[in-house]
Amino acid sequence: MRILNIWNFFQPELKYHVHFLSECFTAEGHEVFFISTDKSNKTWSPFLKNKKFKAGKEIYPYATVYRLKCFEIFNKQIPLNWIKYYRLIKAIQPDVVHILGIGNFLSWICIFLLKIYNKKVIIVANDHSNPNEAKEGFVAKNYKKFNQLLFTVYGHYYKCIICPNLSSKKFIQNLYEVDEARMKIIPLGYDDVTFYYDPALKNSERDKLIVSFAGKIEPRKKIEELLYAVSEMKNKLNVIVRIAGISNTVHREYFNSLQKIGETYSLNVEYLPLQQPNDLRKFYNFSDIAVFPGSISITTVEANACGIPIILFQSIEGLEDRVENGRGTLFTKRRELVNCLEDFYLKKIDGKIYNTEIESVTRDYSWKKLSKQYIQVYESFK
Protein backbone atom coordinates (compact mmCIF):
# COMPACT_ATOMS: atom_id res chain seq x y z
CA MET A 1 0.00 0.00 0.00
CA ARG A 2 1.27 3.49 -0.88
CA ILE A 3 0.38 5.92 1.90
CA LEU A 4 0.71 9.66 1.32
CA ASN A 5 0.58 11.93 4.38
CA ILE A 6 -0.27 15.62 4.00
CA TRP A 7 1.25 17.53 6.92
CA ASN A 8 2.02 21.23 7.17
CA PHE A 9 5.02 20.84 9.47
CA PHE A 10 7.04 17.72 8.89
CA GLN A 11 10.22 17.77 10.98
CA PRO A 12 12.43 14.76 11.77
CA GLU A 13 13.54 15.70 15.30
CA LEU A 14 10.48 15.70 17.56
CA LYS A 15 8.58 12.47 17.06
CA TYR A 16 4.81 12.65 16.88
CA HIS A 17 2.24 9.94 16.22
CA VAL A 18 2.72 10.16 12.47
CA HIS A 19 6.45 9.40 12.74
CA PHE A 20 5.81 6.25 14.75
CA LEU A 21 2.97 5.15 12.48
CA SER A 22 5.20 5.63 9.43
CA GLU A 23 7.91 3.48 11.00
CA CYS A 24 5.36 0.74 11.71
CA PHE A 25 3.86 0.96 8.21
CA THR A 26 7.29 0.74 6.58
CA ALA A 27 8.23 -2.26 8.75
CA GLU A 28 5.08 -3.99 7.46
CA GLY A 29 6.08 -3.42 3.84
CA HIS A 30 4.01 -0.34 3.00
CA GLU A 31 5.49 2.69 1.21
CA VAL A 32 5.14 6.00 3.06
CA PHE A 33 5.36 9.51 1.63
CA PHE A 34 4.85 13.02 2.97
CA ILE A 35 4.02 16.27 1.24
CA SER A 36 4.81 19.15 3.56
CA THR A 37 5.85 22.82 3.50
CA ASP A 38 9.21 24.53 3.86
CA LYS A 39 7.96 26.23 7.03
CA SER A 40 8.46 25.36 10.70
CA ASN A 41 5.85 25.36 13.43
CA LYS A 42 6.84 28.34 15.56
CA THR A 43 5.75 26.67 18.81
CA TRP A 44 8.18 23.81 18.15
CA SER A 45 11.13 25.99 17.12
CA PRO A 46 12.71 26.25 20.60
CA PHE A 47 13.00 22.45 20.69
CA LEU A 48 14.43 21.98 17.19
CA LYS A 49 18.06 22.16 16.15
CA ASN A 50 17.07 22.71 12.54
CA LYS A 51 14.49 25.50 12.41
CA LYS A 52 14.64 26.18 8.68
CA PHE A 53 13.77 23.83 5.82
CA LYS A 54 14.33 24.01 2.09
CA ALA A 55 11.83 23.01 -0.55
CA GLY A 56 12.72 19.72 -2.20
CA LYS A 57 13.04 16.00 -1.51
CA GLU A 58 14.24 14.35 1.71
CA ILE A 59 14.65 10.63 2.31
CA TYR A 60 14.32 8.98 5.72
CA PRO A 61 14.33 5.26 6.62
CA TYR A 62 10.57 5.37 7.18
CA ALA A 63 9.40 7.84 4.50
CA THR A 64 10.14 9.99 1.48
CA VAL A 65 9.32 13.65 2.13
CA TYR A 66 8.60 16.37 -0.40
CA ARG A 67 8.55 19.98 0.76
CA LEU A 68 6.71 22.67 -1.18
CA LYS A 69 7.76 26.30 -1.17
CA CYS A 70 5.07 28.32 0.60
CA PHE A 71 4.31 31.82 1.75
CA GLU A 72 2.73 32.65 5.10
CA ILE A 73 -0.12 34.97 5.98
CA PHE A 74 -1.47 35.18 9.54
CA ASN A 75 0.65 32.08 10.28
CA LYS A 76 -1.16 30.12 7.53
CA GLN A 77 0.98 28.34 4.94
CA ILE A 78 -0.08 28.50 1.28
CA PRO A 79 1.80 26.54 -1.43
CA LEU A 80 3.07 28.72 -4.26
CA ASN A 81 3.20 26.09 -7.02
CA TRP A 82 -0.04 24.11 -7.24
CA ILE A 83 1.05 22.46 -10.47
CA LYS A 84 4.08 20.96 -8.73
CA TYR A 85 1.80 19.85 -5.88
CA TYR A 86 -0.44 18.07 -8.40
CA ARG A 87 2.50 16.45 -10.19
CA LEU A 88 3.84 15.10 -6.89
CA ILE A 89 0.49 13.46 -6.10
CA LYS A 90 0.33 12.04 -9.61
CA ALA A 91 3.91 10.69 -9.40
CA ILE A 92 3.38 9.08 -5.98
CA GLN A 93 0.14 7.40 -7.10
CA PRO A 94 -1.12 6.90 -3.54
CA ASP A 95 -3.62 4.27 -2.49
CA VAL A 96 -4.34 6.27 0.66
CA VAL A 97 -4.06 9.99 1.32
CA HIS A 98 -3.89 10.64 5.06
CA ILE A 99 -4.46 14.30 5.85
CA LEU A 100 -3.08 15.49 9.19
CA GLY A 101 -5.23 18.43 10.24
CA ILE A 102 -8.33 19.38 8.28
CA GLY A 103 -8.33 23.15 8.61
CA ASN A 104 -5.33 24.35 6.62
CA PHE A 105 -4.57 25.36 3.04
CA LEU A 106 -2.25 22.43 2.31
CA SER A 107 -5.08 20.02 3.16
CA TRP A 108 -7.84 21.79 1.23
CA ILE A 109 -5.69 22.25 -1.85
CA CYS A 110 -4.85 18.53 -1.70
CA ILE A 111 -8.55 17.63 -1.74
CA PHE A 112 -9.08 19.96 -4.71
CA LEU A 113 -6.13 18.43 -6.61
CA LEU A 114 -7.27 14.89 -5.85
CA LYS A 115 -10.59 15.74 -7.48
CA ILE A 116 -8.69 16.75 -10.62
CA TYR A 117 -6.49 13.65 -10.33
CA ASN A 118 -9.71 11.64 -10.64
CA LYS A 119 -8.26 8.33 -9.47
CA LYS A 120 -9.70 6.05 -6.83
CA VAL A 121 -7.89 7.17 -3.68
CA ILE A 122 -8.93 6.58 -0.08
CA ILE A 123 -8.89 9.89 1.81
CA VAL A 124 -8.85 9.90 5.61
CA ALA A 125 -7.90 12.55 8.15
CA ASN A 126 -6.48 12.87 11.62
CA ASP A 127 -7.51 15.90 13.61
CA HIS A 128 -6.36 16.48 17.17
CA SER A 129 -8.06 19.85 17.71
CA ASN A 130 -8.53 20.61 21.39
CA PRO A 131 -11.69 22.62 22.15
CA ASN A 132 -9.94 24.19 25.16
CA GLU A 133 -7.34 25.71 22.85
CA ALA A 134 -9.71 27.11 20.21
CA LYS A 135 -8.82 30.71 19.34
CA GLU A 136 -11.52 33.37 19.37
CA GLY A 137 -9.89 36.41 17.69
CA PHE A 138 -11.26 38.13 14.59
CA VAL A 139 -8.94 36.28 12.19
CA ALA A 140 -9.54 32.93 13.93
CA LYS A 141 -13.34 33.28 13.78
CA ASN A 142 -13.33 34.14 10.09
CA TYR A 143 -10.84 31.39 9.28
CA LYS A 144 -13.13 28.94 11.07
CA LYS A 145 -16.05 30.05 8.88
CA PHE A 146 -13.82 29.67 5.82
CA ASN A 147 -12.98 26.09 6.80
CA GLN A 148 -16.61 25.27 7.50
CA LEU A 149 -17.57 26.55 4.06
CA LEU A 150 -14.88 24.45 2.38
CA PHE A 151 -15.99 21.39 4.33
CA THR A 152 -19.54 21.75 3.02
CA VAL A 153 -18.06 21.59 -0.51
CA TYR A 154 -15.25 19.05 -0.14
CA GLY A 155 -15.84 17.34 3.21
CA HIS A 156 -17.68 14.40 1.66
CA TYR A 157 -14.39 13.20 0.16
CA TYR A 158 -13.20 12.15 3.62
CA LYS A 159 -14.00 8.49 4.18
CA CYS A 160 -13.09 8.70 7.85
CA ILE A 161 -11.97 11.34 10.34
CA ILE A 162 -9.87 9.97 13.21
CA CYS A 163 -9.53 11.76 16.56
CA PRO A 164 -7.49 10.76 19.63
CA ASN A 165 -10.24 11.22 22.22
CA LEU A 166 -13.94 11.89 22.73
CA SER A 167 -13.46 15.61 23.31
CA SER A 168 -11.71 16.16 19.97
CA LYS A 169 -14.23 13.92 18.22
CA LYS A 170 -17.20 15.93 19.48
CA PHE A 171 -15.46 19.20 18.65
CA ILE A 172 -14.83 18.17 15.02
CA GLN A 173 -18.33 16.73 14.69
CA ASN A 174 -19.91 19.97 15.84
CA LEU A 175 -17.54 22.21 13.90
CA TYR A 176 -18.09 20.51 10.54
CA GLU A 177 -21.41 18.71 11.19
CA VAL A 178 -19.87 15.33 10.40
CA ASP A 179 -21.95 12.15 10.50
CA GLU A 180 -21.15 9.85 13.42
CA ALA A 181 -20.52 6.99 10.99
CA ARG A 182 -17.50 8.80 9.52
CA MET A 183 -15.86 9.47 12.88
CA LYS A 184 -13.49 7.15 14.74
CA ILE A 185 -11.39 7.37 17.89
CA ILE A 186 -7.90 5.89 17.84
CA PRO A 187 -5.94 6.99 20.93
CA LEU A 188 -2.38 8.21 20.98
CA GLY A 189 0.22 5.60 21.82
CA TYR A 190 3.82 5.09 22.86
CA ASP A 191 7.07 3.62 21.59
CA ASP A 192 7.37 0.22 23.29
CA VAL A 193 11.02 -0.09 22.25
CA THR A 194 11.93 2.92 24.39
CA PHE A 195 9.40 2.81 27.24
CA TYR A 196 9.05 -0.27 29.45
CA TYR A 197 9.13 -1.26 33.11
CA ASP A 198 12.61 -1.86 34.52
CA PRO A 199 12.47 -2.99 38.18
CA ALA A 200 16.21 -2.46 38.55
CA LEU A 201 15.60 1.32 38.30
CA LYS A 202 12.83 1.43 40.90
CA ASN A 203 13.19 3.49 44.07
CA SER A 204 13.50 0.92 46.88
CA GLU A 205 12.64 3.13 49.89
CA ARG A 206 9.23 1.81 50.98
CA ASP A 207 8.38 4.88 53.12
CA LYS A 208 9.23 7.43 50.39
CA LEU A 209 6.70 8.36 47.71
CA ILE A 210 8.32 9.63 44.50
CA VAL A 211 5.80 11.85 42.70
CA SER A 212 6.79 12.97 39.22
CA PHE A 213 5.76 15.37 36.50
CA ALA A 214 7.39 15.60 33.07
CA GLY A 215 6.54 18.16 30.42
CA LYS A 216 6.69 21.84 29.60
CA ILE A 217 6.89 24.04 32.67
CA GLU A 218 4.23 26.62 31.83
CA PRO A 219 1.02 27.93 33.47
CA ARG A 220 -1.42 25.72 31.57
CA LYS A 221 0.21 22.64 33.12
CA LYS A 222 -0.92 23.84 36.60
CA ILE A 223 2.07 22.31 38.36
CA GLU A 224 1.35 24.55 41.34
CA GLU A 225 -1.74 22.42 42.03
CA LEU A 226 0.53 19.42 42.56
CA LEU A 227 2.73 21.36 44.97
CA TYR A 228 -0.23 22.73 46.93
CA ALA A 229 -1.74 19.24 47.13
CA VAL A 230 1.51 17.75 48.48
CA SER A 231 1.68 20.56 51.05
CA GLU A 232 -1.71 19.38 52.39
CA MET A 233 -0.67 15.74 52.75
CA LYS A 234 -0.28 14.25 56.22
CA ASN A 235 3.03 12.66 55.22
CA LYS A 236 4.42 15.44 53.05
CA LEU A 237 7.88 15.02 54.60
CA ASN A 238 8.01 11.53 53.06
CA VAL A 239 7.12 12.78 49.59
CA ILE A 240 9.67 13.74 46.96
CA VAL A 241 8.36 15.71 44.00
CA ARG A 242 10.45 15.48 40.81
CA ILE A 243 9.64 17.94 38.03
CA ALA A 244 11.39 17.37 34.70
CA GLY A 245 11.20 20.07 32.05
CA ILE A 246 13.86 22.70 32.68
CA SER A 247 15.21 24.15 29.42
CA ASN A 248 16.14 27.50 27.93
CA THR A 249 12.48 27.89 26.94
CA VAL A 250 11.10 27.52 30.46
CA HIS A 251 8.48 30.09 31.48
CA ARG A 252 10.81 31.85 33.90
CA GLU A 253 8.25 33.81 35.93
CA TYR A 254 6.09 30.72 36.36
CA PHE A 255 9.09 28.57 37.28
CA ASN A 256 10.10 31.12 39.94
CA SER A 257 6.58 30.99 41.41
CA LEU A 258 6.82 27.20 41.69
CA GLN A 259 10.12 27.45 43.51
CA LYS A 260 8.60 29.93 45.93
CA ILE A 261 5.69 27.58 46.71
CA GLY A 262 8.14 24.77 47.45
CA GLU A 263 10.16 26.96 49.79
CA THR A 264 7.08 28.39 51.54
CA TYR A 265 5.72 24.93 52.41
CA SER A 266 9.11 23.26 52.99
CA LEU A 267 8.54 20.71 50.24
CA ASN A 268 11.15 18.31 48.92
CA VAL A 269 11.15 19.31 45.23
CA GLU A 270 13.74 18.41 42.61
CA TYR A 271 13.87 20.18 39.24
CA LEU A 272 15.45 18.29 36.36
CA PRO A 273 16.22 19.13 32.74
CA LEU A 274 13.85 18.30 29.90
CA GLN A 275 14.31 14.56 29.43
CA GLN A 276 15.24 12.77 26.21
CA PRO A 277 13.30 9.51 25.63
CA ASN A 278 15.80 7.11 27.22
CA ASP A 279 16.29 9.43 30.19
CA LEU A 280 12.53 9.84 30.49
CA ARG A 281 12.17 6.04 30.76
CA LYS A 282 14.64 6.04 33.68
CA PHE A 283 12.89 9.05 35.22
CA TYR A 284 9.51 7.30 35.19
CA ASN A 285 10.86 3.95 36.32
CA PHE A 286 12.38 5.55 39.42
CA SER A 287 9.02 7.17 40.22
CA ASP A 288 6.08 5.71 42.13
CA ILE A 289 3.41 7.81 40.47
CA ALA A 290 3.13 10.50 37.79
CA VAL A 291 0.79 13.48 38.20
CA PHE A 292 -0.55 15.65 35.39
CA PRO A 293 -2.47 18.46 37.12
CA GLY A 294 -3.19 20.59 34.05
CA SER A 295 -3.59 20.22 30.30
CA ILE A 296 -3.40 16.73 28.83
CA SER A 297 -0.04 15.27 27.78
CA ILE A 298 0.95 12.28 25.64
CA THR A 299 3.54 11.37 28.27
CA THR A 300 0.79 9.88 30.44
CA VAL A 301 0.90 6.76 28.25
CA GLU A 302 4.69 6.64 28.44
CA ALA A 303 4.49 6.78 32.23
CA ASN A 304 2.06 3.84 32.26
CA ALA A 305 4.35 1.95 29.88
CA CYS A 306 7.05 2.22 32.54
CA GLY A 307 4.68 0.56 34.99
CA ILE A 308 3.66 3.55 37.09
CA PRO A 309 0.10 4.76 37.69
CA ILE A 310 -0.98 8.29 36.85
CA ILE A 311 -3.17 10.91 38.50
CA LEU A 312 -4.72 12.97 35.72
CA PHE A 313 -6.71 16.20 35.80
CA GLN A 314 -9.93 15.78 33.84
CA SER A 315 -9.25 18.76 31.60
CA ILE A 316 -11.36 17.46 28.71
CA GLU A 317 -14.15 14.95 28.24
CA GLY A 318 -13.39 11.30 27.60
CA LEU A 319 -10.13 10.74 29.49
CA GLU A 320 -11.40 7.61 31.24
CA ASP A 321 -9.51 5.41 28.77
CA ARG A 322 -6.23 6.94 30.03
CA VAL A 323 -6.72 5.47 33.51
CA GLU A 324 -8.82 2.34 32.98
CA ASN A 325 -7.70 -1.14 34.03
CA GLY A 326 -5.86 0.10 37.11
CA ARG A 327 -3.58 2.52 35.26
CA GLY A 328 -4.51 5.51 37.40
CA THR A 329 -7.27 7.87 38.42
CA LEU A 330 -8.86 11.17 37.38
CA PHE A 331 -9.49 14.22 39.57
CA THR A 332 -11.25 17.56 39.18
CA LYS A 333 -10.58 19.34 42.51
CA ARG A 334 -7.49 19.78 44.65
CA ARG A 335 -8.99 17.87 47.57
CA GLU A 336 -9.47 14.88 45.26
CA LEU A 337 -5.82 15.15 44.24
CA VAL A 338 -4.73 15.22 47.88
CA ASN A 339 -6.82 12.13 48.59
CA CYS A 340 -5.34 10.32 45.59
CA LEU A 341 -1.80 11.11 46.72
CA GLU A 342 -2.57 9.92 50.26
CA ASP A 343 -4.05 6.72 48.84
CA PHE A 344 -1.00 5.98 46.71
CA TYR A 345 1.30 6.70 49.64
CA LEU A 346 -0.44 3.93 51.60
CA LYS A 347 -0.29 1.63 48.58
CA LYS A 348 3.45 2.26 48.30
CA ILE A 349 3.97 1.29 51.95
CA ASP A 350 1.84 -1.84 51.52
CA GLY A 351 3.54 -2.83 48.25
CA LYS A 352 0.28 -2.53 46.32
CA ILE A 353 1.39 -0.45 43.35
CA TYR A 354 1.33 -3.16 40.69
CA ASN A 355 3.92 -2.00 38.16
CA THR A 356 4.05 -5.19 36.08
CA GLU A 357 0.27 -5.26 35.62
CA ILE A 358 0.16 -1.58 34.61
CA GLU A 359 2.87 -2.11 32.00
CA SER A 360 1.06 -5.18 30.67
CA VAL A 361 -2.32 -3.51 30.06
CA THR A 362 -0.63 -0.46 28.54
CA ARG A 363 0.87 -2.56 25.74
CA ASP A 364 -2.45 -2.28 23.90
CA TYR A 365 -1.45 1.35 23.28
CA SER A 366 1.87 0.64 21.61
CA TRP A 367 2.24 2.18 18.16
CA LYS A 368 2.74 -1.29 16.71
CA LYS A 369 -0.76 -2.28 17.80
CA LEU A 370 -2.40 1.06 17.03
CA SER A 371 -0.88 1.12 13.53
CA LYS A 372 -2.85 -2.03 12.75
CA GLN A 373 -6.06 -0.12 13.55
CA TYR A 374 -5.10 2.49 10.96
CA ILE A 375 -4.43 -0.17 8.35
CA GLN A 376 -7.82 -1.70 9.13
CA VAL A 377 -9.43 1.70 8.51
CA TYR A 378 -7.64 2.05 5.16
CA GLU A 379 -8.50 -1.47 4.05
CA SER A 380 -12.17 -1.13 5.03
CA PHE A 381 -12.65 1.37 2.18
CA LYS A 382 -10.95 -0.63 -0.57
Side-chain angles (χ1 to χ4, degrees), residues 99 327 373:
I99 289 176
R327 291 187 294 135
Q373 293 187 36

Side-chain angles (χ1 to χ4, degrees), residues 76-109:
K76 310 299 180 186
Q77 300 72 37
I78 305 175
L80 290 169
N81 192 334
W82 292 22
I83 295 175
K84 185 172 183 178
Y85 196 173
Y86 174 77
R87 287 175 176 169
L88 280 174
I89 293 172
K90 190 176 180 181
I92 293 170
Q93 296 184 326
D95 300 302
V96 175
V97 172
H98 195 142
I99 289 176
L100 302 157
I102 295 172
N104 62 73
F105 287 103
L106 194 69
S107 299
W108 289 123
I109 294 170

Side-chain angles (χ1 to χ4, degrees), residues 203-209 345 347-352:
N203 163 49
S204 60
E205 295 180 274
R206 184 62 68 87
D207 64 337
K208 296 291 185 184
L209 185 72
Y345 177 75
K347 287 180 178 179
K348 171 69 183 294
I349 291 175
D350 294 337
K352 292 183 178 180

Side-chain angles (χ1 to χ4, degrees), residues 27-179:
E28 292 295 321
H30 303 290
E31 295 181 83
V32 182
F33 304 85
F34 284 82
I35 293 180
S36 188
T37 73
D38 62 343
K39 305 303 179 184
S40 176
N41 187 325
K42 292 179 175 57
T43 62
W44 298 343
S45 293
F47 307 100
L48 299 176
K49 295 179 182 177
N50 183 11
K51 298 176 176 58
K52 294 183 179 180
F53 304 100
K54 292 183 178 180
K57 181 179 179 181
E58 301 170 3
I59 298 178
Y60 298 92
Y62 52 85
T64 300
V65 179
Y66 298 95
R67 295 188 186 275
L68 297 172
K69 192 170 184 59
C70 297
F71 73 94
E72 285 187 312
I73 180 170
F74 296 113
N75 202 31
K76 310 299 180 186
Q77 300 72 37
I78 305 175
L80 290 169
N81 192 334
W82 292 22
I83 295 175
K84 185 172 183 178
Y85 196 173
Y86 174 77
R87 287 175 176 169
L88 280 174
I89 293 172
K90 190 176 180 181
I92 293 170
Q93 296 184 326
D95 300 302
V96 175
V97 172
H98 195 142
I99 289 176
L100 302 157
I102 295 172
N104 62 73
F105 287 103
L106 194 69
S107 299
W108 289 123
I109 294 170
C110 179
I111 297 290
F112 173 74
L113 295 177
L114 285 169
K115 185 179 179 182
I116 297 174
Y117 181 53
N118 199 28
K119 299 283 186 181
K120 185 179 179 182
V121 179
I122 299 162
I123 305 173
V124 301
N126 259 108
D127 201 297
H128 296 182
S129 296
N130 185 337
N132 294 339
E133 297 177 2
K135 297 179 181 179
E136 293 298 328
F138 175 79
V139 174
K141 286 182 178 179
N142 283 279
Y143 190 61
K144 181 176 76 171
K145 292 178 181 178
F146 171 72
N147 281 312
Q148 288 172 322
L149 175 62
L150 287 178
F151 197 89
T152 62
V153 179
Y154 295 111
H156 64 280
Y157 286 102
Y158 288 108
K159 297 292 187 183
C160 183
I161 299 174
I162 302 167
C163 295
N165 53 56
L166 181 61
S167 183
S168 290
K169 175 176 175 283
K170 286 188 174 181
F171 179 72
I172 294 299
Q173 272 188 284
N174 293 332
L175 181 63
Y176 296 119
E177 298 182 357
V178 187
D179 294 336

